[in-house]
Structure formats: structure tokens, C-alpha cells
Amino acid sequence: MGKRACLVALYLLAAVVGRASVIDSHPMALVWPAGGLAVAWLVTRPSPREWFVDVPLLVSVGVAASLIADRSVEATAVLAVSNVVAVLTIVLAYRRWNADGVRLGTPPTRSPHAMGTFLGAVVLGSLVGVAAGVAASAVAGSAVSPDDLVVWFGRNVCGVAGVGIASLLVIERLRGGRRTTSLGGWAELVLLFTATAGLVALDYSTFLPTSFLLPAVAVWAGSRFASLPVAIHALAGGAGILLLTYVGEGPFSHLEDEGVRIILAQLFVAMTLLIGLLLASAREARAAMSQEMATFAERVAHDLRNPITVTESWTAELAAVLASGPSATREATAPMVAGLERATAHMRSLVESLLADASARDRDARPLVVDLPALVAEVAEAYGAAGQVRTLGVRSVSGDPVLLRQLIDNLVGNALKYVLPGQRPDITVSAHHVHGRVVVRVTDNGIGIPAGAREWIFEPFRRAHEDGYPGTGLGLSTCRRIVERHGGSLRALPREDGPGSVFEFDLPKAMASA
């Protein structure tokens, strides 16, 4: 009962807001926010049986609000029929087309497909609702003009899509559902809303139609923030456009026909809303898929470690047993045991590479000041090559210590591995400042990289040298991902003063705050 009381209060407020958007010279409201609340409420009810209470309750509140606003009994009845038909059609269509999402309680912004089904249901329900309203008007003895039909349809779509999606996102947040992260922080969010308000205010106070830039701001919002702030921003921007239209301003104020102005304003609001939400839903779907792939890789890698360990143990035991046998047996089975050892070692390397790649993709970066020479010395010591690796230049960078350790380990490990037989590796890790960044170069005297392979070697499972040099083809792709997560780029260059290769990347410089 407490939740229904809150619904009644919000629905009444939304009905009053919708009624207040009626322009005196035009009978139809600019927007229908109450429809979005009704759709969100009915979609998230545990059982359709509860609609027998909810639907009459919402109809009663809507009728009361319409009569309080001095609408005629005939007009109130027509709107009540149209609104009920529209809401029920939207809810039934969405529940049918996105049954899994409704069952799990996830909002339509979880994926572009879910967004498409929700918007399709909104369009279908709005059309059916308008048709029901026209039929009810005919029964009441009144006619509806073509302009009014289009405005009627537009206010249904704008209100249900905008308020409905925002309401579903709020309901999910109140239920403690999965939260999606934003790339932008609070300062950027405040700047986003400030820019939106500034465009609307400048449009109102000057002759410049600056509010036509709102779709560009919606692109900014959708590419940087989660769906809930994007939906709230879209509602704020849409309210600004409708307010400008209400007072005779905005990007369409030069048009003489009032109905055309309203229709174009509604289309503009719908376009702005869709741009932001579709971008946000696509980004969230991509992030969810990336997380699922990373989790899959971690689980597979973890599950493969046990049989690999067992295989290594039995191979060692088999080698020990065969070594104690006759000489002919040892000579005949030695290549087999060596093959088993190489295969298990390669499998372990692949598993570790998959884990490293998953970590580089989804680990929460924690920037700290990292002593670059100390890190390089630690990696070289681990490889037993302390005398073959030296560092020059800048000492400190800012970055995640775990990811940077993985980056240096891969690059130095490759430099130590890809050398001609019998050649002593000679590796230099140099660093210098360039425009507020630290450019690091790992230079070696190895076999080098073919000119045509200097870009595609960063693709997963691609290797420039297959014969004689074991590897998985994941190391360099992981390195590039780590550098990109630090806001930089990684590239392979030829060595100009002799044989070998150069890997160059840039990192943030060490900051005192880090």
C-alpha cells in the first residue's frame, strides 16, 4: 500500500505536469509523462494479476486530474480510453518481446536489442492508443484533426519513452540491481548539465537557436555516463526544448504553424533521447560482454591449471621411471617425454597468457608513482639477465604497478627471447618527457620485426616469428591494452643503428598526488 501511495502521488504530479504543457492555441499536451510512470509500474509488477488493482487505480487518478483541470467529461473519457489502451498495449508487447529482461527485472538499456523492443512496443502502443482515442472521439461525436493525431502520437512516444526508461532505471537502482560504471566523474556530469542548461538559456535569451546542439551533448552523455544519468539528462534537455516551444522560442520558433512546431519539437526530443540512450546501452552491452569474456577466460584458465599440473607431475614421474630402465628404453622414450614436457609447458604458458590478458582488460587500475629503473631491474633479475638490461633517463612514471610490471615483463621477456642463437641480448630501456607524458623506448639487438608485421603483431594470437621461438601470440596485444588503459599508445619501430627492434610507448608522468 505504501508503494501504491507513492505511485498515486507521482502519477498525479506527472498528470499535472502533462496538463500544464498544453498550449492555449492547441488542445493536445506536448508530453505525457504519466504514461511512462504507468508503463514502468506495470512492467515491474511481480504478476499481471495485480493489474486488476493497479489499472483502475491509475485510471481513477488520471480522470480526477483531468476533471480538476476543467476538462469536459467527454474529453476526459476519450483520454482515459486512449491512455489505458496505449499503456496496456505497450506493457503486453514489451513483456512478450523481452520476456527474459522482464523476468530478470533489467531495464531496456542493458542492450540495444532490449532498447529496440521497448521502443517498438512504445511506438505500437502509441499508435493503438491514438486509434482507440479516435474511435472514442467518434462515439462522443467529435472529430480529431490530422495535426492533432500526429501531436497526440508524439506526446505519447516522448512521454512514455523518456519517463518510462528513467523510471525503470530508478526502480532497478532502488531494488539494488547491477550498477553500471560511468567513464566520467561528478565534475564532468555537472559540466554536462551546465552546458545543457546554458544552451537552453542562450536560446531563450537571444535570437540564436543554440538548443539545436543538444543532440551533440547527448552524444557526449551517452559515450561517457551510465544509462540513469543519461536518461535524466535526456529528460532535462527534452524539458528545455518543450519549454522553449511552449513560450514560442526554440529552434522551430520561425515556423508559423503551431502544430508543425510542436511535432518537430517532439521529434527533436525523441531523437535526442534515443541518441544518448542507444549510445549508453551499446557501451554497457559491450562492457558486459567484455566482463563475461574475461570471467570465462579466468575460469577456463583456472580449470585448466589442475590437469596441466597433473600432466606435468606424471610426465616427471614417467621420466624418472624410464631413466632407471635399460639404455635402449631411455633412448627410445626420451623424445616422447621431451614432447610431453614441451606440450605441457606451452599449455601452461597459454593459460598464464589468458589470465594476464584478462587482467589487463578488466583490472581496476590504481595509479601510483612507479620507479621505472627499479621495475626494470626487478624484471631482469627474475629472468637472470641483470647484466643484459640497462635503463636511462626519467626515473618515475604514474600507473598501476601490477599492469606496468606485466607490460615491462612482456617486452623485456620478448627482447631476451627473440635473439639469434649464441647472441648475447643487449637491451636498453630509456625514458624522456614529451608534452607532459613519459615516452619509454625498449631497444634490443634481436632478430627484429618484418616491416609489414609492425602493426598486426599487436593483434591477439598473431606472431611474426613462428619457428624456433615459442609463444602464444597474446603478449603484445596485452601490452597494447595496458598502455591504452594508461591513456597512451604502443608501437613497434625499426632500430636505425643496427639489427633489432624498438617498442615505444607513453605513460603519465609521475604526479605528487599519485
Side-chain angles (χ1 to χ4, degrees), residues 286-295 297-298 353-365 403 406 460-461 474 477-482 484-485:
R286 185 170 61 252
M289 183 178 296
S290 176
Q291 180 63 38
E292 290 174 1
M293 291 299 295
T295 302
E298 291 177 359
S353 297
L354 285 172
L355 285 173
D357 188 68
S359 174
R361 184 189 304 271
D362 295 292
R363 171 183 165 82
D364 293 332
L403 294 180
Q406 189 176 339
F461 303 106
L474 282 171
S477 67
T478 301
C479 289
R480 171 167 280 187
R481 184 173 292 113
I482 291 173
E484 289 175 347
R485 291 198 61 187

PDB file of all heavy atoms in Angstrom, residues 286-295 297-298 353-365 403 406 460-461 474 477-482 484-485:
ATOM      1  N   ARG A 286      28.592  -3.673 -24.417  1.00  0.00           N
ATOM      2  CA  ARG A 286      29.974  -4.025 -24.734  1.00  0.00           C
ATOM      3  C   ARG A 286      30.771  -4.296 -23.462  1.00  0.00           C
ATOM      4  O   ARG A 286      31.569  -5.235 -23.400  1.00  0.00           O
ATOM      5  CB  ARG A 286      30.613  -2.894 -25.535  1.00  0.00           C
ATOM      6  CG  ARG A 286      32.015  -3.216 -26.033  1.00  0.00           C
ATOM      7  CD  ARG A 286      32.502  -2.174 -27.011  1.00  0.00           C
ATOM      8  NE  ARG A 286      32.568  -0.841 -26.424  1.00  0.00           N
ATOM      9  CZ  ARG A 286      31.750   0.155 -26.688  1.00  0.00           C
ATOM     10  NH1 ARG A 286      30.764  -0.028 -27.559  1.00  0.00           N
ATOM     11  NH2 ARG A 286      31.882   1.324 -26.108  1.00  0.00           N
ATOM     12  N   ALA A 287      30.545  -3.481 -22.420  1.00  0.00           N
ATOM     13  CA  ALA A 287      31.249  -3.696 -21.160  1.00  0.00           C
ATOM     14  C   ALA A 287      30.835  -5.013 -20.512  1.00  0.00           C
ATOM     15  O   ALA A 287      31.669  -5.739 -19.966  1.00  0.00           O
ATOM     16  CB  ALA A 287      30.980  -2.524 -20.211  1.00  0.00           C
ATOM     17  N   ALA A 288      29.521  -5.325 -20.585  1.00  0.00           N
ATOM     18  CA  ALA A 288      29.051  -6.587 -20.010  1.00  0.00           C
ATOM     19  C   ALA A 288      29.635  -7.777 -20.752  1.00  0.00           C
ATOM     20  O   ALA A 288      30.040  -8.772 -20.143  1.00  0.00           O
ATOM     21  CB  ALA A 288      27.525  -6.629 -20.041  1.00  0.00           C
ATOM     22  N   MET A 289      29.692  -7.683 -22.078  1.00  0.00           N
ATOM     23  CA  MET A 289      30.270  -8.770 -22.858  1.00  0.00           C
ATOM     24  C   MET A 289      31.757  -8.940 -22.558  1.00  0.00           C
ATOM     25  O   MET A 289      32.264 -10.058 -22.429  1.00  0.00           O
ATOM     26  CB  MET A 289      30.058  -8.507 -24.351  1.00  0.00           C
ATOM     27  CG  MET A 289      30.564  -9.625 -25.250  1.00  0.00           C
ATOM     28  SD  MET A 289      30.240  -9.300 -26.990  1.00  0.00           S
ATOM     29  CE  MET A 289      28.437  -9.290 -26.981  1.00  0.00           C
ATOM     30  N   SER A 290      32.451  -7.807 -22.417  1.00  0.00           N
ATOM     31  CA  SER A 290      33.870  -7.876 -22.079  1.00  0.00           C
ATOM     32  C   SER A 290      34.080  -8.521 -20.723  1.00  0.00           C
ATOM     33  O   SER A 290      34.982  -9.337 -20.538  1.00  0.00           O
ATOM     34  CB  SER A 290      34.468  -6.465 -22.105  1.00  0.00           C
ATOM     35  OG  SER A 290      35.816  -6.483 -21.703  1.00  0.00           O
ATOM     36  N   GLN A 291      33.208  -8.172 -19.762  1.00  0.00           N
ATOM     37  CA  GLN A 291      33.319  -8.771 -18.440  1.00  0.00           C
ATOM     38  C   GLN A 291      33.037 -10.263 -18.485  1.00  0.00           C
ATOM     39  O   GLN A 291      33.724 -11.060 -17.825  1.00  0.00           O
ATOM     40  CB  GLN A 291      32.345  -8.067 -17.484  1.00  0.00           C
ATOM     41  CG  GLN A 291      32.370  -8.612 -16.069  1.00  0.00           C
ATOM     42  CD  GLN A 291      33.714  -8.415 -15.405  1.00  0.00           C
ATOM     43  OE1 GLN A 291      34.359  -7.381 -15.593  1.00  0.00           O
ATOM     44  NE2 GLN A 291      34.164  -9.407 -14.646  1.00  0.00           N
ATOM     45  N   GLU A 292      32.037 -10.644 -19.271  1.00  0.00           N
ATOM     46  CA  GLU A 292      31.728 -12.063 -19.388  1.00  0.00           C
ATOM     47  C   GLU A 292      32.880 -12.834 -20.031  1.00  0.00           C
ATOM     48  O   GLU A 292      33.219 -13.940 -19.600  1.00  0.00           O
ATOM     49  CB  GLU A 292      30.457 -12.247 -20.213  1.00  0.00           C
ATOM     50  CG  GLU A 292      29.195 -11.777 -19.497  1.00  0.00           C
ATOM     51  CD  GLU A 292      27.973 -11.849 -20.391  1.00  0.00           C
ATOM     52  OE1 GLU A 292      28.132 -12.291 -21.546  1.00  0.00           O
ATOM     53  OE2 GLU A 292      26.881 -11.480 -19.935  1.00  0.00           O
ATOM     54  N   MET A 293      33.499 -12.251 -21.059  1.00  0.00           N
ATOM     55  CA  MET A 293      34.627 -12.917 -21.704  1.00  0.00           C
ATOM     56  C   MET A 293      35.808 -13.032 -20.756  1.00  0.00           C
ATOM     57  O   MET A 293      36.496 -14.059 -20.723  1.00  0.00           O
ATOM     58  CB  MET A 293      35.023 -12.149 -22.963  1.00  0.00           C
ATOM     59  CG  MET A 293      33.995 -12.224 -24.087  1.00  0.00           C
ATOM     60  SD  MET A 293      33.721 -13.910 -24.664  1.00  0.00           S
ATOM     61  CE  MET A 293      35.332 -14.289 -25.346  1.00  0.00           C
ATOM     62  N   ALA A 294      36.050 -11.970 -19.989  1.00  0.00           N
ATOM     63  CA  ALA A 294      37.163 -12.014 -19.037  1.00  0.00           C
ATOM     64  C   ALA A 294      36.912 -13.071 -17.966  1.00  0.00           C
ATOM     65  O   ALA A 294      37.816 -13.825 -17.588  1.00  0.00           O
ATOM     66  CB  ALA A 294      37.357 -10.636 -18.399  1.00  0.00           C
ATOM     67  N   THR A 295      35.663 -13.116 -17.465  1.00  0.00           N
ATOM     68  CA  THR A 295      35.324 -14.120 -16.459  1.00  0.00           C
ATOM     69  C   THR A 295      35.459 -15.527 -17.027  1.00  0.00           C
ATOM     70  O   THR A 295      35.965 -16.440 -16.366  1.00  0.00           O
ATOM     71  CB  THR A 295      33.890 -13.888 -15.960  1.00  0.00           C
ATOM     72  OG1 THR A 295      33.781 -12.568 -15.436  1.00  0.00           O
ATOM     73  CG2 THR A 295      33.527 -14.898 -14.887  1.00  0.00           C
ATOM     74  N   ALA A 297      37.461 -16.439 -19.487  1.00  0.00           N
ATOM     75  CA  ALA A 297      38.882 -16.742 -19.650  1.00  0.00           C
ATOM     76  C   ALA A 297      39.508 -17.113 -18.315  1.00  0.00           C
ATOM     77  O   ALA A 297      40.306 -18.052 -18.218  1.00  0.00           O
ATOM     78  CB  ALA A 297      39.605 -15.543 -20.266  1.00  0.00           C
ATOM     79  N   GLU A 298      39.139 -16.388 -17.262  1.00  0.00           N
ATOM     80  CA  GLU A 298      39.700 -16.693 -15.944  1.00  0.00           C
ATOM     81  C   GLU A 298      39.265 -18.072 -15.460  1.00  0.00           C
ATOM     82  O   GLU A 298      40.074 -18.830 -14.909  1.00  0.00           O
ATOM     83  CB  GLU A 298      39.266 -15.617 -14.949  1.00  0.00           C
ATOM     84  CG  GLU A 298      39.908 -14.255 -15.197  1.00  0.00           C
ATOM     85  CD  GLU A 298      39.409 -13.210 -14.239  1.00  0.00           C
ATOM     86  OE1 GLU A 298      38.545 -13.557 -13.393  1.00  0.00           O
ATOM     87  OE2 GLU A 298      39.864 -12.059 -14.321  1.00  0.00           O
ATOM     88  N   SER A 353      48.995 -16.659 -20.126  1.00  0.00           N
ATOM     89  CA  SER A 353      48.777 -15.525 -21.020  1.00  0.00           C
ATOM     90  C   SER A 353      47.308 -15.112 -21.043  1.00  0.00           C
ATOM     91  O   SER A 353      46.979 -13.924 -21.074  1.00  0.00           O
ATOM     92  CB  SER A 353      49.246 -15.867 -22.437  1.00  0.00           C
ATOM     93  OG  SER A 353      50.640 -16.107 -22.460  1.00  0.00           O
ATOM     94  N   LEU A 354      46.407 -16.093 -21.035  1.00  0.00           N
ATOM     95  CA  LEU A 354      44.985 -15.780 -20.986  1.00  0.00           C
ATOM     96  C   LEU A 354      44.629 -15.054 -19.698  1.00  0.00           C
ATOM     97  O   LEU A 354      43.867 -14.075 -19.706  1.00  0.00           O
ATOM     98  CB  LEU A 354      44.158 -17.060 -21.104  1.00  0.00           C
ATOM     99  CG  LEU A 354      44.081 -17.694 -22.493  1.00  0.00           C
ATOM    100  CD1 LEU A 354      43.389 -19.055 -22.403  1.00  0.00           C
ATOM    101  CD2 LEU A 354      43.321 -16.788 -23.446  1.00  0.00           C
ATOM    102  N   LEU A 355      45.176 -15.495 -18.586  1.00  0.00           N
ATOM    103  CA  LEU A 355      44.926 -14.817 -17.325  1.00  0.00           C
ATOM    104  C   LEU A 355      45.479 -13.397 -17.335  1.00  0.00           C
ATOM    105  O   LEU A 355      44.845 -12.457 -16.856  1.00  0.00           O
ATOM    106  CB  LEU A 355      45.542 -15.606 -16.169  1.00  0.00           C
ATOM    107  CG  LEU A 355      44.796 -16.876 -15.739  1.00  0.00           C
ATOM    108  CD1 LEU A 355      45.605 -17.631 -14.703  1.00  0.00           C
ATOM    109  CD2 LEU A 355      43.434 -16.508 -15.182  1.00  0.00           C
ATOM    110  N   ALA A 356      46.686 -13.235 -17.891  1.00  0.00           N
ATOM    111  CA  ALA A 356      47.283 -11.906 -17.969  1.00  0.00           C
ATOM    112  C   ALA A 356      46.468 -10.980 -18.859  1.00  0.00           C
ATOM    113  O   ALA A 356      46.267  -9.802 -18.554  1.00  0.00           O
ATOM    114  CB  ALA A 356      48.720 -12.005 -18.479  1.00  0.00           C
ATOM    115  N   ASP A 357      45.978 -11.515 -19.979  1.00  0.00           N
ATOM    116  CA  ASP A 357      45.175 -10.706 -20.880  1.00  0.00           C
ATOM    117  C   ASP A 357      43.866 -10.284 -20.229  1.00  0.00           C
ATOM    118  O   ASP A 357      43.420  -9.142 -20.375  1.00  0.00           O
ATOM    119  CB  ASP A 357      44.897 -11.494 -22.159  1.00  0.00           C
ATOM    120  CG  ASP A 357      44.234 -10.638 -23.229  1.00  0.00           C
ATOM    121  OD1 ASP A 357      44.900  -9.731 -23.747  1.00  0.00           O
ATOM    122  OD2 ASP A 357      43.057 -10.881 -23.529  1.00  0.00           O
ATOM    123  N   ALA A 358      43.234 -11.197 -19.492  1.00  0.00           N
ATOM    124  CA  ALA A 358      42.001 -10.851 -18.789  1.00  0.00           C
ATOM    125  C   ALA A 358      42.255  -9.805 -17.725  1.00  0.00           C
ATOM    126  O   ALA A 358      41.458  -8.890 -17.517  1.00  0.00           O
ATOM    127  CB  ALA A 358      41.384 -12.111 -18.172  1.00  0.00           C
ATOM    128  N   SER A 359      43.386  -9.912 -17.027  1.00  0.00           N
ATOM    129  CA  SER A 359      43.722  -8.928 -16.008  1.00  0.00           C
ATOM    130  C   SER A 359      43.958  -7.559 -16.618  1.00  0.00           C
ATOM    131  O   SER A 359      43.509  -6.537 -16.103  1.00  0.00           O
ATOM    132  CB  SER A 359      44.969  -9.381 -15.234  1.00  0.00           C
ATOM    133  OG  SER A 359      45.393  -8.379 -14.341  1.00  0.00           O
ATOM    134  N   ALA A 360      44.659  -7.524 -17.754  1.00  0.00           N
ATOM    135  CA  ALA A 360      44.919  -6.240 -18.412  1.00  0.00           C
ATOM    136  C   ALA A 360      43.645  -5.606 -18.939  1.00  0.00           C
ATOM    137  O   ALA A 360      43.534  -4.385 -19.028  1.00  0.00           O
ATOM    138  CB  ALA A 360      45.904  -6.437 -19.562  1.00  0.00           C
ATOM    139  N   ARG A 361      42.656  -6.425 -19.256  1.00  0.00           N
ATOM    140  CA  ARG A 361      41.412  -5.908 -19.830  1.00  0.00           C
ATOM    141  C   ARG A 361      40.502  -5.320 -18.757  1.00  0.00           C
ATOM    142  O   ARG A 361      39.887  -4.272 -18.955  1.00  0.00           O
ATOM    143  CB  ARG A 361      40.686  -7.035 -20.554  1.00  0.00           C
ATOM    144  CG  ARG A 361      39.422  -6.601 -21.278  1.00  0.00           C
ATOM    145  CD  ARG A 361      38.660  -7.826 -21.770  1.00  0.00           C
ATOM    146  NE  ARG A 361      39.490  -8.660 -22.617  1.00  0.00           N
ATOM    147  CZ  ARG A 361      39.595  -8.499 -23.933  1.00  0.00           C
ATOM    148  NH1 ARG A 361      38.941  -7.540 -24.534  1.00  0.00           N
ATOM    149  NH2 ARG A 361      40.371  -9.305 -24.646  1.00  0.00           N
ATOM    150  N   ASP A 362      40.393  -5.967 -17.602  1.00  0.00           N
ATOM    151  CA  ASP A 362      39.348  -5.596 -16.654  1.00  0.00           C
ATOM    152  C   ASP A 362      39.834  -5.273 -15.247  1.00  0.00           C
ATOM    153  O   ASP A 362      39.016  -4.983 -14.381  1.00  0.00           O
ATOM    154  CB  ASP A 362      38.317  -6.725 -16.562  1.00  0.00           C
ATOM    155  CG  ASP A 362      37.584  -6.926 -17.876  1.00  0.00           C
ATOM    156  OD1 ASP A 362      36.823  -6.038 -18.268  1.00  0.00           O
ATOM    157  OD2 ASP A 362      37.801  -7.967 -18.504  1.00  0.00           O
ATOM    158  N   ARG A 363      41.107  -5.299 -14.998  1.00  0.00           N
ATOM    159  CA  ARG A 363      41.581  -4.949 -13.672  1.00  0.00           C
ATOM    160  C   ARG A 363      41.323  -3.474 -13.393  1.00  0.00           C
ATOM    161  O   ARG A 363      41.519  -2.607 -14.249  1.00  0.00           O
ATOM    162  CB  ARG A 363      43.083  -5.237 -13.561  1.00  0.00           C
ATOM    163  CG  ARG A 363      43.718  -4.706 -12.283  1.00  0.00           C
ATOM    164  CD  ARG A 363      45.211  -4.963 -12.260  1.00  0.00           C
ATOM    165  NE  ARG A 363      45.866  -4.172 -11.237  1.00  0.00           N
ATOM    166  CZ  ARG A 363      45.923  -4.512  -9.974  1.00  0.00           C
ATOM    167  NH1 ARG A 363      45.389  -5.639  -9.579  1.00  0.00           N
ATOM    168  NH2 ARG A 363      46.539  -3.729  -9.094  1.00  0.00           N
ATOM    169  N   ASP A 364      40.849  -3.167 -12.191  1.00  0.00           N
ATOM    170  CA  ASP A 364      40.650  -1.775 -11.790  1.00  0.00           C
ATOM    171  C   ASP A 364      42.019  -1.127 -11.558  1.00  0.00           C
ATOM    172  O   ASP A 364      42.738  -1.477 -10.616  1.00  0.00           O
ATOM    173  CB  ASP A 364      39.827  -1.694 -10.505  1.00  0.00           C
ATOM    174  CG  ASP A 364      38.392  -2.159 -10.721  1.00  0.00           C
ATOM    175  OD1 ASP A 364      37.914  -2.029 -11.861  1.00  0.00           O
ATOM    176  OD2 ASP A 364      37.773  -2.656  -9.763  1.00  0.00           O
ATOM    177  N   ALA A 365      42.388  -0.205 -12.449  1.00  0.00           N
ATOM    178  CA  ALA A 365      43.699   0.429 -12.362  1.00  0.00           C
ATOM    179  C   ALA A 365      43.791   1.325 -11.126  1.00  0.00           C
ATOM    180  O   ALA A 365      42.868   2.084 -10.832  1.00  0.00           O
ATOM    181  CB  ALA A 365      43.976   1.251 -13.620  1.00  0.00           C
ATOM    182  N   LEU A 403      49.931  -3.717 -13.545  1.00  0.00           N
ATOM    183  CA  LEU A 403      49.852  -3.709 -15.006  1.00  0.00           C
ATOM    184  C   LEU A 403      51.180  -3.293 -15.635  1.00  0.00           C
ATOM    185  O   LEU A 403      51.595  -3.852 -16.662  1.00  0.00           O
ATOM    186  CB  LEU A 403      48.733  -2.770 -15.463  1.00  0.00           C
ATOM    187  CG  LEU A 403      47.300  -3.193 -15.085  1.00  0.00           C
ATOM    188  CD1 LEU A 403      46.289  -2.178 -15.598  1.00  0.00           C
ATOM    189  CD2 LEU A 403      46.979  -4.571 -15.629  1.00  0.00           C
ATOM    190  N   GLN A 406      53.542  -6.147 -15.599  1.00  0.00           N
ATOM    191  CA  GLN A 406      53.201  -7.077 -16.668  1.00  0.00           C
ATOM    192  C   GLN A 406      53.685  -6.551 -18.024  1.00  0.00           C
ATOM    193  O   GLN A 406      54.194  -7.314 -18.858  1.00  0.00           O
ATOM    194  CB  GLN A 406      51.683  -7.252 -16.683  1.00  0.00           C
ATOM    195  CG  GLN A 406      51.164  -8.337 -17.595  1.00  0.00           C
ATOM    196  CD  GLN A 406      49.654  -8.478 -17.453  1.00  0.00           C
ATOM    197  OE1 GLN A 406      49.074  -8.068 -16.460  1.00  0.00           O
ATOM    198  NE2 GLN A 406      49.043  -9.059 -18.454  1.00  0.00           N
ATOM    199  N   PRO A 460      45.665 -10.222 -31.222  1.00  0.00           N
ATOM    200  CA  PRO A 460      45.758 -11.461 -30.431  1.00  0.00           C
ATOM    201  C   PRO A 460      46.068 -12.668 -31.313  1.00  0.00           C
ATOM    202  O   PRO A 460      45.534 -12.809 -32.418  1.00  0.00           O
ATOM    203  CB  PRO A 460      44.358 -11.575 -29.798  1.00  0.00           C
ATOM    204  CG  PRO A 460      43.821 -10.189 -29.796  1.00  0.00           C
ATOM    205  CD  PRO A 460      44.384  -9.533 -31.019  1.00  0.00           C
ATOM    206  N   PHE A 461      46.956 -13.519 -30.815  1.00  0.00           N
ATOM    207  CA  PHE A 461      47.334 -14.795 -31.445  1.00  0.00           C
ATOM    208  C   PHE A 461      48.038 -14.604 -32.797  1.00  0.00           C
ATOM    209  O   PHE A 461      48.055 -15.516 -33.612  1.00  0.00           O
ATOM    210  CB  PHE A 461      46.113 -15.714 -31.609  1.00  0.00           C
ATOM    211  CG  PHE A 461      45.389 -16.009 -30.327  1.00  0.00           C
ATOM    212  CD1 PHE A 461      44.164 -15.411 -30.052  1.00  0.00           C
ATOM    213  CD2 PHE A 461      45.933 -16.870 -29.386  1.00  0.00           C
ATOM    214  CE1 PHE A 461      43.494 -15.674 -28.868  1.00  0.00           C
ATOM    215  CE2 PHE A 461      45.270 -17.134 -28.200  1.00  0.00           C
ATOM    216  CZ  PHE A 461      44.058 -16.534 -27.944  1.00  0.00           C
ATOM    217  N   LEU A 474      49.828 -13.645 -27.468  1.00  0.00           N
ATOM    218  CA  LEU A 474      48.978 -12.764 -26.671  1.00  0.00           C
ATOM    219  C   LEU A 474      49.753 -11.658 -25.974  1.00  0.00           C
ATOM    220  O   LEU A 474      49.160 -10.686 -25.505  1.00  0.00           O
ATOM    221  CB  LEU A 474      48.223 -13.576 -25.609  1.00  0.00           C
ATOM    222  CG  LEU A 474      47.007 -14.362 -26.097  1.00  0.00           C
ATOM    223  CD1 LEU A 474      46.503 -15.275 -24.987  1.00  0.00           C
ATOM    224  CD2 LEU A 474      45.913 -13.432 -26.556  1.00  0.00           C
ATOM    225  N   SER A 477      49.554  -8.008 -27.633  1.00  0.00           N
ATOM    226  CA  SER A 477      48.200  -7.460 -27.570  1.00  0.00           C
ATOM    227  C   SER A 477      47.866  -7.052 -26.140  1.00  0.00           C
ATOM    228  O   SER A 477      47.207  -6.022 -25.914  1.00  0.00           O
ATOM    229  CB  SER A 477      47.179  -8.478 -28.082  1.00  0.00           C
ATOM    230  OG  SER A 477      47.098  -9.599 -27.226  1.00  0.00           O
ATOM    231  N   THR A 478      48.341  -7.816 -25.165  1.00  0.00           N
ATOM    232  CA  THR A 478      48.147  -7.445 -23.766  1.00  0.00           C
ATOM    233  C   THR A 478      48.901  -6.162 -23.441  1.00  0.00           C
ATOM    234  O   THR A 478      48.389  -5.283 -22.736  1.00  0.00           O
ATOM    235  CB  THR A 478      48.601  -8.587 -22.848  1.00  0.00           C
ATOM    236  OG1 THR A 478      47.861  -9.769 -23.151  1.00  0.00           O
ATOM    237  CG2 THR A 478      48.402  -8.224 -21.395  1.00  0.00           C
ATOM    238  N   CYS A 479      50.118  -6.035 -23.968  1.00  0.00           N
ATOM    239  CA  CYS A 479      50.915  -4.821 -23.737  1.00  0.00           C
ATOM    240  C   CYS A 479      50.194  -3.588 -24.280  1.00  0.00           C
ATOM    241  O   CYS A 479      50.126  -2.544 -23.620  1.00  0.00           O
ATOM    242  CB  CYS A 479      52.282  -4.957 -24.394  1.00  0.00           C
ATOM    243  SG  CYS A 479      53.398  -6.118 -23.587  1.00  0.00           S
ATOM    244  N   ARG A 480      49.688  -3.693 -25.488  1.00  0.00           N
ATOM    245  CA  ARG A 480      48.985  -2.533 -26.065  1.00  0.00           C
ATOM    246  C   ARG A 480      47.761  -2.173 -25.228  1.00  0.00           C
ATOM    247  O   ARG A 480      47.478  -0.997 -25.008  1.00  0.00           O
ATOM    248  CB  ARG A 480      48.592  -2.823 -27.505  1.00  0.00           C
ATOM    249  CG  ARG A 480      47.685  -1.768 -28.117  1.00  0.00           C
ATOM    250  CD  ARG A 480      47.560  -1.891 -29.619  1.00  0.00           C
ATOM    251  NE  ARG A 480      48.704  -1.311 -30.304  1.00  0.00           N
ATOM    252  CZ  ARG A 480      48.792  -1.171 -31.633  1.00  0.00           C
ATOM    253  NH1 ARG A 480      47.794  -1.610 -32.399  1.00  0.00           N
ATOM    254  NH2 ARG A 480      49.850  -0.623 -32.189  1.00  0.00           N
ATOM    255  N   ARG A 481      47.036  -3.160 -24.758  1.00  0.00           N
ATOM    256  CA  ARG A 481      45.857  -2.877 -23.945  1.00  0.00           C
ATOM    257  C   ARG A 481      46.252  -2.179 -22.646  1.00  0.00           C
ATOM    258  O   ARG A 481      45.568  -1.253 -22.192  1.00  0.00           O
ATOM    259  CB  ARG A 481      45.099  -4.169 -23.654  1.00  0.00           C
ATOM    260  CG  ARG A 481      43.796  -3.955 -22.899  1.00  0.00           C
ATOM    261  CD  ARG A 481      42.990  -5.233 -22.787  1.00  0.00           C
ATOM    262  NE  ARG A 481      42.500  -5.641 -24.084  1.00  0.00           N
ATOM    263  CZ  ARG A 481      42.887  -6.727 -24.720  1.00  0.00           C
ATOM    264  NH1 ARG A 481      43.801  -7.511 -24.173  1.00  0.00           N
ATOM    265  NH2 ARG A 481      42.391  -7.048 -25.889  1.00  0.00           N
ATOM    266  N   ILE A 482      47.343  -2.592 -22.045  1.00  0.00           N
ATOM    267  CA  ILE A 482      47.796  -1.957 -20.802  1.00  0.00           C
ATOM    268  C   ILE A 482      48.167  -0.501 -21.061  1.00  0.00           C
ATOM    269  O   ILE A 482      47.782   0.403 -20.296  1.00  0.00           O
ATOM    270  CB  ILE A 482      48.999  -2.732 -20.222  1.00  0.00           C
ATOM    271  CG1 ILE A 482      48.549  -4.107 -19.724  1.00  0.00           C
ATOM    272  CG2 ILE A 482      49.649  -1.940 -19.089  1.00  0.00           C
ATOM    273  CD1 ILE A 482      49.686  -5.009 -19.292  1.00  0.00           C
ATOM    274  N   GLU A 484      47.129   1.462 -23.483  1.00  0.00           N
ATOM    275  CA  GLU A 484      45.924   2.229 -23.801  1.00  0.00           C
ATOM    276  C   GLU A 484      45.110   2.522 -22.552  1.00  0.00           C
ATOM    277  O   GLU A 484      44.471   3.573 -22.457  1.00  0.00           O
ATOM    278  CB  GLU A 484      45.079   1.472 -24.828  1.00  0.00           C
ATOM    279  CG  GLU A 484      45.712   1.451 -26.217  1.00  0.00           C
ATOM    280  CD  GLU A 484      44.934   0.609 -27.202  1.00  0.00           C
ATOM    281  OE1 GLU A 484      44.043  -0.158 -26.745  1.00  0.00           O
ATOM    282  OE2 GLU A 484      45.207   0.700 -28.422  1.00  0.00           O
ATOM    283  N   ARG A 485      45.108   1.620 -21.595  1.00  0.00           N
ATOM    284  CA  ARG A 485      44.401   1.883 -20.346  1.00  0.00           C
ATOM    285  C   ARG A 485      45.062   2.993 -19.548  1.00  0.00           C
ATOM    286  O   ARG A 485      44.434   3.582 -18.661  1.00  0.00           O
ATOM    287  CB  ARG A 485      44.319   0.612 -19.495  1.00  0.00           C
ATOM    288  CG  ARG A 485      43.413  -0.451 -20.083  1.00  0.00           C
ATOM    289  CD  ARG A 485      43.021  -1.465 -19.047  1.00  0.00           C
ATOM    290  NE  ARG A 485      42.288  -0.841 -17.947  1.00  0.00           N
ATOM    291  CZ  ARG A 485      41.935  -1.484 -16.844  1.00  0.00           C
ATOM    292  NH1 ARG A 485      42.263  -2.762 -16.687  1.00  0.00           N
ATOM    293  NH2 ARG A 485      41.273  -0.886 -15.897  1.00  0.00           N
TER     294      ARG A 485
END
